[in-house]
Amino acid sequence: MLRMTIVAALLAVTQWGFAGQAAACEGNRILFQEEFKSRDPIWGKPSKRVQIKDGRAIIRPAANMSQWQLETGFAFEDADICVTATLLETADPTRGAGGLIFWAQDNSNYYVLNVASNGYFQVNRFMSGRWAPDVIAWTESDAIKKGPNQPNRLRVTLRGQTVAVHINGKEVTRFRAQAPEGPSVTGIFAASAPEKPDVWQFTNLKVTDVKPEPEARADASPET
């Protein structure tokens, strides 16, 4: 029995290690890391709809409404940004969403990568206090874990005007968009279905620098 327990423990550690490596941002230098142990002033004033404590941030938007929170203490240009988003409660998995804010200048200007528990993702832009046409419309992806209580690791890599989106270690889209002038901040976002408030959990927010892209290999046999 003891041997079986030890083997099981080692297997769990190994699996956790592989999952952590696959889901992590890949830069060499950590620019910002938030473990959500308690509410830091960089997350703004306390709110009954956004609670930060005990290693997680919980967002409860009002029914048919969205709620977001920007961190205002650390700003970045090129960056690799990751967070784990988990839907805890919803009345309609096709209407609620949760995600990662990037390229945020303020509460009226930002982009957001959203996932829904029915296996879809989208990228939106909030510009001058209004939603612009979708950057990436709702798109189904087998990378997304479906259903409540399923953690999805979201990752956005910003390099110049290029955005690469990974979900659970898989690249799901890459596009060009208008980056803000100068550094910007990140944040977390959730939207509820019309019937009643959804509940989203966010953990392990991390920002690193961006790894250099591999150089193209020179052609050993140039045309003559």
Side-chain angles (χ1 to χ4, degrees), residues 16 18-26 30 32-36 55 80-87 98-100 113-115 121 141 143-145 150-156 164-172 188 200-208:
W16 181 91
F18 286 147
Q21 290 173 12
C25 289
E26 295 183 352
I30 296 175
F32 173 63
Q33 191 161 14
E34 177 60 83
E35 297 179 348
F36 298 117
D80 220 349
I81 309 172
C82 301
V83 74
T84 300
T86 306
L87 174 67
L100 175 62
L113 161 65
N114 274 319
V115 292
F121 74 93
S141 174
I144 300 171
K145 298 176 184 177
Q150 294 292 326
N152 284 288
R153 187 67 170 166
L154 311 182
R155 175 184 169 201
V156 173
V165 174
H166 291 77
I167 300 176
N168 296 322
K170 178 180 179 180
E171 183 172 318
V172 295
I188 49 180
W200 282 84
Q201 171 184 284
F202 298 88
T203 56
N204 302 317
L205 175 60
K206 181 180 179 182
V207 183
T208 73

Side-chain angles (χ1 to χ4, degrees), residues 49-104:
R49 300 207 175 274
V50 182
Q51 298 180 343
I52 298 176
K53 63 179 182 179
D54 301 330
R56 60 184 186 163
I58 300 293
I59 301 186
R60 296 179 174 87
N64 206 33
M65 298 291 288
S66 58
Q67 184 80 37
W68 64 92
Q69 200 78 31
L70 303 182
E71 62 81 16
T72 58
F74 297 82
F76 324 95
E77 293 188 357
D78 287 0
D80 220 349
I81 309 172
C82 301
V83 74
T84 300
T86 306
L87 174 67
L88 302 182
E89 299 176 20
T90 186
D92 184 351
T94 69
R95 303 295 295 274
L100 175 62
I101 290 175
F102 61 98
W103 276 346

Side-chain angles (χ1 to χ4, degrees), residues 42-44 68-72 101 104-110 185-188:
I42 65 172
W43 290 101
W68 64 92
Q69 200 78 31
L70 303 182
E71 62 81 16
T72 58
I101 290 175
Q105 297 170 277
D106 51 44
N107 282 303
S108 296
N109 296 276
Y110 59 81
V185 301
T186 187
I188 49 180

Side-chain angles (χ1 to χ4, degrees), residues 157-203:
T157 304
L158 309 174
R159 190 193 305 271
Q161 294 184 328
T162 300
V163 180
V165 174
H166 291 77
I167 300 176
N168 296 322
K170 178 180 179 180
E171 183 172 318
V172 295
T173 191
R174 181 181 292 256
F175 59 91
R176 292 176 61 204
Q178 184 180 12
E181 294 184 5
S184 58
V185 301
T186 187
I188 49 180
F189 180 97
S192 288
E195 292 82 356
K196 64 179 184 178
D198 287 5
V199 181
W200 282 84
Q201 171 184 284
F202 298 88
T203 56

